Amino acid sequence: MTRSITDAGGSLVVRRAVARDTKRLTRLVRGARAYEGPYASMVAGYRVGPDYIEAHRVFVAADRQDGQVLGFYALVLAPPELDLLFVADRAQGRGVGRLLVAHMESEARAAGIDRVRVVSHPPAEGFYRSVGAVRVGTASATPPAVVWDRPELEFRIALGGGH
């Protein structure tokens, strides 16, 4: 069962991604300022396709008023991993990422998952740690796609309704 949650102000809603979201999600990934400069090669040809949305639990945070997509995440269940989490540059600092992480934890809990791995973009490590992820190691570079080491973190999910 998929839960829909809103932020405290009620201006955002998290909903399941659908095939018509794919172009918007792809633009979010490719246009992220965090992937400029040396990180640009990582997302240059990246595409979020309908097959990906169908295969994984992909959710978007959208503005309740106009439906504009402000961020999204993808939770892979086996093995449990937060594969993608992107927030539009213009929406950063507004709680969108925190809302998406809270939703991801709720989805993981409902699926009986007690740990979710994250291989983080290096500049995003601080965000993940600020929302409860714990550093557990380092994922080595995998050239030619990724030529830098990345922080490996883990969300520890309290099962049984606790947080």
Side-chain angles (χ1 to χ4, degrees), residues 6-63:
T6 60
D7 64 325
S11 62
L12 297 174
V13 64
V14 177
R15 64 166 173 78
R16 189 78 186 242
V18 294
R20 72 176 179 273
D21 292 320
T22 59
K23 288 182 182 176
R24 279 179 263 185
L25 303 185
T26 297
R27 278 194 305 269
L28 253 174
V29 171
R30 290 183 184 175
R33 275 194 319 255
Y35 282 90
E36 290 177 343
Y39 299 116
S41 63
M42 178 69 183
V43 297
Y46 200 88
R47 180 178 167 270
V48 180
D51 52 337
Y52 185 85
I53 287 175
E54 188 175 314
H56 304 295
R57 294 186 184 200
V58 182
F59 292 87
V60 300
D63 184 288

Side-chain angles (χ1 to χ4, degrees), residues 14-142:
V14 177
R15 64 166 173 78
R16 189 78 186 242
V18 294
R20 72 176 179 273
D21 292 320
T22 59
K23 288 182 182 176
R24 279 179 263 185
L25 303 185
T26 297
R27 278 194 305 269
L28 253 174
V29 171
R30 290 183 184 175
R33 275 194 319 255
Y35 282 90
E36 290 177 343
Y39 299 116
S41 63
M42 178 69 183
V43 297
Y46 200 88
R47 180 178 167 270
V48 180
D51 52 337
Y52 185 85
I53 287 175
E54 188 175 314
H56 304 295
R57 294 186 184 200
V58 182
F59 292 87
V60 300
D63 184 288
R64 185 179 287 286
Q65 297 289 337
D66 61 14
Q68 190 171 38
V69 173
L70 300 175
F72 77 100
Y73 79 87
L75 176 62
V76 174
L77 296 181
E81 182 170 359
L82 179 61
D83 188 39
L84 301 169
L85 190 148
F86 280 83
V87 174
D89 292 334
R90 70 187 180 287
Q92 290 184 10
R94 293 175 36 194
V96 176
R98 289 181 182 281
L99 180 67
L100 289 170
V101 167
H103 191 275
M104 178 277 299
E105 290 175 323
S106 175
E107 286 292 311
R109 187 176 298 111
I113 296 169
D114 66 351
R115 294 173 189 269
V116 176
R117 176 181 184 246
V118 179
V119 177
S120 176
H121 178 49
E125 179 181 5
F127 166 75
Y128 287 119
R129 292 172 67 120
S130 78
V131 293
V134 177
R135 177 92 184 240
V136 294
T138 300
S140 297
T142 55

